[in-house]
Amino acid sequence: MTSASREVLENRQIRKNKQQKEDFRSWLCEQLREAGYNPQIEKHRSLYTSHNVVAGDPEKAKVLLTAHYDTCAVLPFPNFITPRSLFWYLAYQFLITFLFFAVVFAITFGVTFAAVWLTDGSDVGELIGFITGYAVLIFGLWWMFDGKANRHTVNDNTSGVITLLEIALTLPEELRDGVCFVWFDNEERGLLGSSSFAAKHKHAKKNALVINFDCVSDGDFLHFFPGKRVKKTDVPQLLTESYLAAGEKTVEVVQGFGFYPSDQAQFRHGVGVCALKKSPVFGYYMDRIHTGRDTVLEEDNIALLRSGTVRLLRTMKEKEELHAK
């Protein structure tokens, strides 16, 4: 990996609060300028203000290469994702929701019981319990979005940041025309950065091929999840021919059922990319993210994605030149 990517991995994994994000953006823009780009920071106001880093012209780009740079709060449980099994995905979400409300109920019941006992059964005790329940509920929801920053974010999404940076810094200049790099803000708060970007850049939303790298470093099974419109084009075949398996690493462009909840969903021609593990029970899955155990970076994954992207862009350029003759 480049020295810039090493710097991100070793010193810039926490990108959550305003100052951390601002410091990272300034550093990132400096790296991009040194590599010959003219990066811009686009500010978008919504529920949270998002600052997206853009290198290239999204109004002319045929390909957008993207990743989110914001990081999440540390949670006591992982965000367990099974992108090819809706049953296990929903079952896990139900389990977490059930446990969350069970904790809220237990605390509320305990406080209410104690308050009623201490106030000799008055309505004040019940009111204290009621307020406590709502306070715990609000605190839990707040923590998920704005709680203490996770110090370990290697897979989610330092891996995507590094993949995008590796491609940008090593991409031959003859392949840079028609390509735009975007580091999105506020993915962890509900895809706000990519949503605002898509609303502003209609061409990119409607026409550009968007390849989004999110959690690509922990697992031997690299999966590409194209949207419905993309599946009807020649893009899946191009992806298959460009991103080649290497060693223990496999690559699959999912043509059947599959979903991946990330920023590419904001674009008509979006493709989500992630790394997965495999279990005989759950099938393909992702774990560890949003916890202190998110520490695994498999550099072979990054190298495979970088070389595959260069191969893809070269093939697309050659086809365009051939068509123009």
Side-chain angles (χ1 to χ4, degrees):
M1 293 195 304
T2 62
S3 59
S5 293
R6 291 288 179 195
E7 168 66 16
V8 177
L9 182 62
E10 294 173 5
N11 300 311
R12 299 181 183 274
Q13 279 195 44
I14 306 174
R15 305 175 297 275
K16 192 172 191 305
N17 66 34
K18 181 178 179 180
Q19 189 61 54
Q20 290 162 351
K21 290 182 178 182
E22 184 176 335
D23 289 345
F24 173 75
R25 290 193 300 269
S26 297
W27 175 86
L28 176 59
C29 287
E30 181 181 348
Q31 304 305 307
L32 292 170
R33 280 190 289 268
E34 289 179 0
Y37 295 92
N38 181 29
Q40 305 294 321
I41 298 176
E42 293 188 353
K43 183 177 180 180
H44 306 275
R45 296 187 182 277
S46 57
L47 181 61
Y48 291 89
T49 300
S50 298
H51 296 82
N52 299 325
V53 180
V54 182
D57 187 350
E59 300 303 328
K60 297 179 180 179
K62 295 180 176 62
V63 179
L64 260 67
L65 301 174
T66 67
H68 76 87
Y69 70 87
D70 63 305
T71 55
C72 66
V74 62
L75 299 178
F77 49 84
N79 187 9
F80 185 77
I81 301 175
T82 55
R84 299 183 66 174
S85 174
L86 186 60
F87 171 80
W88 285 117
Y89 178 77
L90 294 177
Y92 184 75
Q93 299 304 314
F94 175 80
L95 174 63
I96 293 301
T97 302
F98 173 80
L99 292 176
F100 174 72
F101 280 102
V103 170
V104 173
F105 176 79
I107 294 175
T108 303
F109 179 81
V111 171
T112 301
F113 180 83
V116 169
W117 181 74
L118 291 172
T119 58
D120 294 326
S122 73
D123 292 341
V124 174
E126 294 184 5
L127 179 61
I128 292 174
F130 180 79
I131 293 174
T132 299
Y134 268 94
V136 172
L137 177 63
I138 292 171
F139 175 79
L141 294 174
W142 169 84
W143 184 273
M144 292 177 64
F145 294 99
D146 290 313
K148 182 181 178 181
N150 190 4
R151 296 178 57 201
H152 304 286
T153 67
V154 173
N155 196 27
D156 185 20
N157 187 31
T158 294
S159 66
V161 168
I162 287 177
T163 299
L164 215 56
L165 190 56
E166 287 288 295
I167 297 168
L169 297 185
T170 62
L171 188 64
E173 291 200 16
E174 68 268 18
L175 298 180
R176 294 184 181 185
D177 289 342
V179 180
C180 181
F181 296 88
V182 188
W183 285 262
F184 290 125
D185 192 5
N186 285 330
E187 187 269 355
E188 299 289 357
R189 287 170 167 165
L191 313 183
L192 297 180
S194 57
S195 176
S196 299
F197 179 91
K200 178 179 179 179
H201 299 288
K202 301 297 185 183
H203 166 78
K205 177 180 177 65
K206 296 179 180 179
N207 303 311
L209 171 62
V210 179
I211 302 178
N212 182 57
F213 302 99
D214 190 357
C215 301
V216 296
S217 72
D218 188 6
D220 291 335
F221 302 92
L222 290 162
H223 275 52
F224 288 69
F225 291 92
K228 290 182 179 179
R229 288 184 176 88
V230 180
K231 289 179 180 179
K232 298 177 182 179
T233 69
D234 65 345
V235 169
Q237 184 62 32
L238 283 174
L239 294 174
T240 300
E241 294 172 353
S242 300
Y243 294 90
L244 306 178
E248 296 181 352
K249 307 298 179 181
T250 67
V251 178
E252 183 171 352
V253 180
V254 179
Q255 290 283 45
F257 174 80
F259 64 96
Y260 192 61
S262 191
D263 290 307
Q264 79 283 346
Q266 305 294 339
F267 303 88
R268 289 188 180 180
H269 301 282
V271 180
V273 187
C274 66
L276 300 171
K277 303 170 188 176
K278 192 174 183 180
S279 158
V281 176
F282 302 113
Y284 293 103
Y285 71 95
M286 178 187 301
D287 62 352
R288 296 180 181 171
I289 59 174
H290 294 192
T291 72
R293 297 176 62 236
D294 184 2
T295 60
V296 178
L297 180 77
E298 298 182 24
E299 292 189 31
D300 288 347
N301 289 16
I302 311 301
L304 187 156
L305 293 172
R306 185 201 66 78
S307 60
T309 302
V310 173
R311 194 177 294 113
L312 173 67
L313 296 175
R314 193 176 299 281
T315 299
M316 294 179 68
K317 182 178 179 64
E318 290 172 353
K319 287 191 173 185
E320 183 180 353
E321 291 174 347
L322 184 62
H323 181 73
K325 290 182 179 179

